[in-house]
Amino acid sequence: MSLATLIERGPNPEKGMQALVLKNYQDILAARQLLWGWVDIARELDIEKQANSLRRSFMRVHGKVEKGILKPGRENSRAKAAGRTNAGAAQPPTEKRPLPGQQIPVGDGDAMNAALAAKNLVFK
């Protein structure tokens, strides 16, 4: 086995919780920044009964990441699984839902004025 193979495989699974934290570091960090609790995060990682251990391991790993000793993956693991990356890629446009009620066209001056006139409104 080569060193490249080890690196490709990711964190050493024999390290247990620390390997799990390092593998999901970006997800956990994002969830904490969005004010999710440790129990909620542990539940999503299927280790609900180990929430306190997750917190302690994350704090250790986070300290080592901050010091530059450990390096988390570049991509968010859930985004990677979904085929998305966070490397500044443009997100596809979301489908626009129509607003309730009658619509007034925007951007087309003549159509907009006609729609406003039909409602007895004057645009100044």
Side-chain angles (χ1 to χ4, degrees):
M1 183 177 336
S2 70
L3 189 57
T5 304
L6 288 177
I7 293 169
E8 187 177 306
R9 290 167 89 188
N12 184 352
E14 293 176 8
K15 295 295 181 182
M17 187 65 73
Q18 285 187 340
L20 178 71
V21 167
L22 191 59
K23 182 177 179 184
N24 295 291
Y25 180 79
Q26 298 295 335
D27 291 331
I28 295 170
L29 184 62
R32 289 298 296 157
Q33 290 172 343
L34 293 171
L35 305 177
W36 285 101
W38 290 109
V39 173
D40 299 315
I41 296 169
R43 184 180 310 121
E44 292 302 314
L45 294 172
D46 295 326
I47 54 167
E48 187 171 4
K49 294 185 180 193
Q50 298 175 336
N52 199 33
S53 178
L54 173 66
R55 181 191 62 80
R56 285 192 313 264
S57 292
F58 179 80
M59 297 311 274
R60 277 190 227 110
V61 168
H62 182 65
K64 290 178 181 179
V65 168
E66 292 291 311
K67 290 179 183 177
I69 297 170
L70 290 177
K71 184 177 179 182
R74 292 178 185 226
E75 293 184 8
N76 179 316
S77 63
R78 298 205 192 285
K80 187 186 236 182
R84 300 183 318 258
T85 64
N86 61 358
Q91 296 292 327
T94 57
E95 183 179 326
K96 294 182 181 179
R97 296 181 300 163
L99 296 173
Q102 188 177 5
Q103 301 296 307
I104 296 175
V106 177
D108 183 2
D110 295 332
M112 187 169 68
N113 288 333
L116 289 172
K119 293 184 175 187
N120 293 325
L121 299 172
V122 177
F123 180 72
K124 293 184 179 183

